[in-house]
Amino acid sequence: MSSGTSGTINRLTGWVSSWHDIYKFLALIVITIYATYYAPNPVKAAWYVIILTAYYFSKNEALWLAVFLATSDGFMSFFGLYTVTLTPLPGLPAIEISQLYIILTVIKAAGTRKSPKIFYNKYLQVLLVYLLFSIIWGQMMGLSGELNVYFRVLKGVLPMMLFYSIPRLFTDQDSYDRLFRIIFVIVLAAFAAQLITLLGGLSPLDIVGLDTGEAEEGSSDFRVFFSANCTLIGLFSALYYLNLGVVKYWQRLLFYSVVLASLAMAVLSATRGWIIGFSIILILGFFLTGITKAKRLAEFAVIVLPLIYFAVSNPTIRDQLDFSRERLGKMESIAEGDLSAGGTLQRLDLRSNRVMEGWRQNPIFGWGLSDTGYMYGDGHVGNQSLLAMSGVVGFVLLNGFLVFFSIKLINIYINSGRFKSRDKALLVFIIFLSGWFFIHSTSGQQFNYVGMPAKIIPQAIFFSFGAFRYEQSIKRIYGKKV
């Protein structure tokens, strides 16, 4: 059998497996929704223990990573931060089951014999050392002695262990493919939920009577953006696959749908940083990686034109688009010296000034994971918050990692020579990271030494997949073993 025929069979088998994964994922999500919102506490806790145990004995890493990401980041307005939790000890705060999942990934990764090459591993060790320093430094700067405060530190640090476990559990292309295909389902479901909420005034959570909050239909304060972190990694992976020359027409339609849904959710949410960040990603992605061929544009039109017609013909959506355009237009006032963008943006004046004042009091190492560090930490201003908690040293080290990651992938692309057409998808990593950093700098903190699972899981996936693709390119170009 030829290698081409074998590759085609493997790809077809992969899509069949992914459909099975999607069915299982949806079944697990439906049961978890019932257990979380309807079942009594003992039954709910028992179900959480069951799925954690099932994951530990499962080899399907993609399925379970998607499940626990959805419980943390949300699925069609269900779940979210501190919704799917267990209480490990009396008197301590509840802990998300995704945190317990992370512990299990570390145990499973430590027990595997696989030791993949990760080109940024040494740099990651430097960041780990600085994280440990920040914990100790925070103690010196003053941290309340109550047990729940130390528990907060632990919950912030624990998700960073995914940078160790995911590369050791996801060691082949098929694992990433299966994961991304489930994430596509989450993104499209989030878009559907956003439209339902905008057009009907009630989210799916409200519709089933599980929440008393109501959104006014067509109101100017509609700011709903479901599963935002899943949308980030979904947009990246869709663009990545669009840059591969081996995907079929119907697969490209799926990828275009995810791209369009991601941008549409940002626009309908009127979140300016995400709109501009996604626009940067799409503009650079479409023009620098060669997606703009006439045939590809025609395929994209099949998806986008009907939705544009629907949007402009629906008064509620049209009003929301006007609201988003109005908010974007107020960004012009920043160039005129009004950092509040007409009173609609507190990040660049009130929030930023407050956090920077805290940083100036301790500029070199910041306040670390201390009471003062948490007081000045503000997720609305990413770079300023990073400075306040980690200081100039931590700021340079963390942003240096993003630069180092990008330079390594750019270098391997430049050196790919006759394989350049096959490795052009590497450019998607750099393009996407630039837009991601814009979101981090303008709309909300993304990159930090600590974080919650909903934000850290997509980052661990992104960088781990980048390391995997880097080593695959090294093998293809130089004939080295991965």
Side-chain angles (χ1 to χ4, degrees):
M1 182 181 294
S2 67
S3 59
T5 303
S6 177
T8 301
I9 292 175
N10 288 337
R11 287 194 295 273
L12 290 174
T13 302
W15 278 96
V16 171
S17 299
S18 292
W19 281 114
H20 292 163
D21 289 341
I22 290 169
Y23 298 146
K24 295 174 184 176
F25 169 80
L26 293 175
L28 287 166
I29 289 297
V30 168
I31 297 173
T32 305
I33 288 174
Y34 177 82
T36 301
Y37 294 100
Y38 293 101
N41 287 334
V43 174
K44 176 169 61 176
W47 172 247
Y48 296 163
V49 172
I50 288 172
I51 60 175
L52 286 166
T53 304
Y55 161 67
Y56 183 75
F57 291 103
S58 173
K59 295 182 179 179
N60 193 341
E61 296 294 338
L63 170 64
W64 290 104
L65 177 54
V67 168
F68 288 106
L69 173 58
T71 64
S72 185
D73 193 42
F75 182 81
M76 292 191 72
S77 78
F78 297 95
F79 307 136
L81 184 64
Y82 293 128
T83 301
V84 187
T85 62
L86 284 170
T87 303
L89 294 172
L92 289 180
I95 182 171
E96 291 186 74
I97 64 169
S98 55
Q99 297 270 15
L100 300 175
Y101 158 78
I102 292 169
I103 295 174
L104 294 179
T105 67
V106 174
I107 296 173
K108 291 178 72 171
T112 183
R113 296 181 179 180
K114 298 176 182 178
S115 182
K117 292 183 65 176
I118 306 170
F119 71 86
Y120 54 75
N121 196 46
K122 290 185 178 179
Y123 203 127
L124 207 60
Q125 292 172 2
V126 173
L127 295 181
L128 174 60
V129 170
Y130 196 79
L131 171 58
L132 295 176
F133 168 78
S134 295
I135 296 173
I136 298 172
W137 181 252
Q139 288 284 324
M140 296 172 64
M141 293 297 99
L143 183 67
S144 300
E146 296 181 7
L147 187 59
N148 63 331
V149 177
Y150 289 97
F151 200 57
R152 177 185 182 181
V153 173
L154 176 63
K155 288 195 294 184
V157 171
L158 189 60
M160 311 311 292
M161 295 301 295
L162 287 168
F163 285 90
Y164 164 82
S165 60
I166 286 184
R168 289 161 177 80
L169 297 175
F170 286 72
T171 56
D172 55 61
Q173 183 67 45
D174 182 63
S175 295
Y176 286 104
D177 290 344
R178 295 170 74 167
L179 171 64
F180 291 143
R181 289 163 191 159
I182 300 175
I183 289 177
F184 292 157
V185 173
I186 299 175
V187 174
L188 295 176
F191 183 41
Q194 186 189 49
L195 289 177
I196 290 170
T197 307
L198 175 61
L199 297 175
L202 295 173
S203 70
L205 189 70
D206 300 323
I207 291 172
V208 297
L210 293 173
D211 193 279
T212 57
E214 294 187 1
E216 297 180 9
E217 184 177 351
S219 66
S220 61
D221 60 350
F222 182 85
R223 303 296 308 281
V224 171
F225 195 155
F226 296 124
S227 305
N229 298 289
C230 288
T231 301
L232 272 169
I233 199 65
L235 174 61
F236 157 74
S237 51
L239 287 174
Y240 174 85
Y241 287 119
L242 282 171
N243 277 276
L244 299 179
V246 295
V247 293
K248 296 182 181 299
Y249 170 73
W250 68 270
Q251 294 171 344
R252 288 198 298 272
L253 290 183
L254 170 63
F255 305 147
Y256 283 129
S257 299
V258 173
V259 168
L260 181 60
S262 301
L263 179 60
M265 280 192 283
V267 172
L268 291 176
S269 71
T271 310
R272 290 169 290 196
W274 287 70
I275 295 173
I276 298 173
F278 280 13
S279 299
I280 291 172
I281 293 168
L282 293 179
I283 292 172
L284 293 178
F286 272 69
F287 286 99
L288 295 184
T289 59
I291 304 180
T292 53
K293 298 177 181 178
K295 182 179 178 181
R296 296 294 184 89
L297 290 177
E299 293 172 351
F300 187 62
V302 172
I303 300 296
V304 70
L305 291 180
L307 288 179
I308 290 177
Y309 174 78
F310 173 70
V312 298
S313 62
N314 185 282
T316 302
I317 295 179
R318 191 168 58 245
D319 290 345
Q320 183 62 21
L321 292 176
D322 290 338
F323 173 57
S324 297
R325 185 166 52 250
E326 178 185 345
R327 282 178 56 82
L328 275 175
K330 291 182 179 179
M331 298 291 286
E332 296 178 0
S333 61
I334 295 178
E336 301 172 358
D338 179 12
L339 296 181
S340 69
T344 65
L345 187 65
Q346 295 185 347
R347 290 178 175 85
L348 297 182
D349 54 358
L350 298 179
R351 290 182 179 276
S352 178
N353 290 337
R354 174 184 174 276
V355 176
M356 291 303 289
E357 177 60 31
W359 167 70
R360 293 186 189 98
Q361 299 173 26
N362 206 345
I364 306 301
F365 300 118
W367 290 99
L369 303 183
S370 65
D371 291 337
T372 306
Y374 283 119
M375 180 180 71
Y376 283 114
D378 187 340
H380 291 86
V381 282
N383 289 316
Q384 297 91 324
S385 183
L386 182 60
L387 277 169
M389 294 194 73
S390 304
V392 173
V393 175
F395 180 87
V396 171
L397 285 175
L398 186 55
N399 287 295
F401 171 74
L402 305 181
V403 173
F404 172 78
F405 178 87
S406 300
I407 290 175
K408 293 289 284 186
L409 266 63
I410 291 174
N411 285 340
I412 199 63
Y413 172 74
I414 292 173
N415 294 328
S416 59
R418 63 191 178 93
F419 297 105
K420 186 165 290 188
S421 61
R422 298 182 64 182
D423 287 326
K424 68 177 181 179
L426 292 175
L427 293 177
V428 177
F429 286 91
I430 293 92
I431 292 168
F432 185 82
L433 190 57
S434 64
W436 202 350
F437 187 79
F438 183 88
I439 294 171
H440 163 81
S441 302
T442 61
S443 192
Q445 188 168 26
Q446 300 291 319
F447 306 107
N448 199 359
Y449 288 89
V450 294
M452 298 305 291
K455 285 190 175 181
I456 303 304
I457 292 176
Q459 293 176 31
I461 294 169
F462 175 82
F463 289 108
S464 298
F465 187 49
F468 173 80
R469 294 310 314 164
Y470 176 87
E471 294 302 331
Q472 291 295 313
S473 296
I474 288 288
K475 178 181 179 181
R476 180 163 54 248
I477 296 168
Y478 302 110
K480 295 181 179 180
K481 293 182 178 180
V482 179

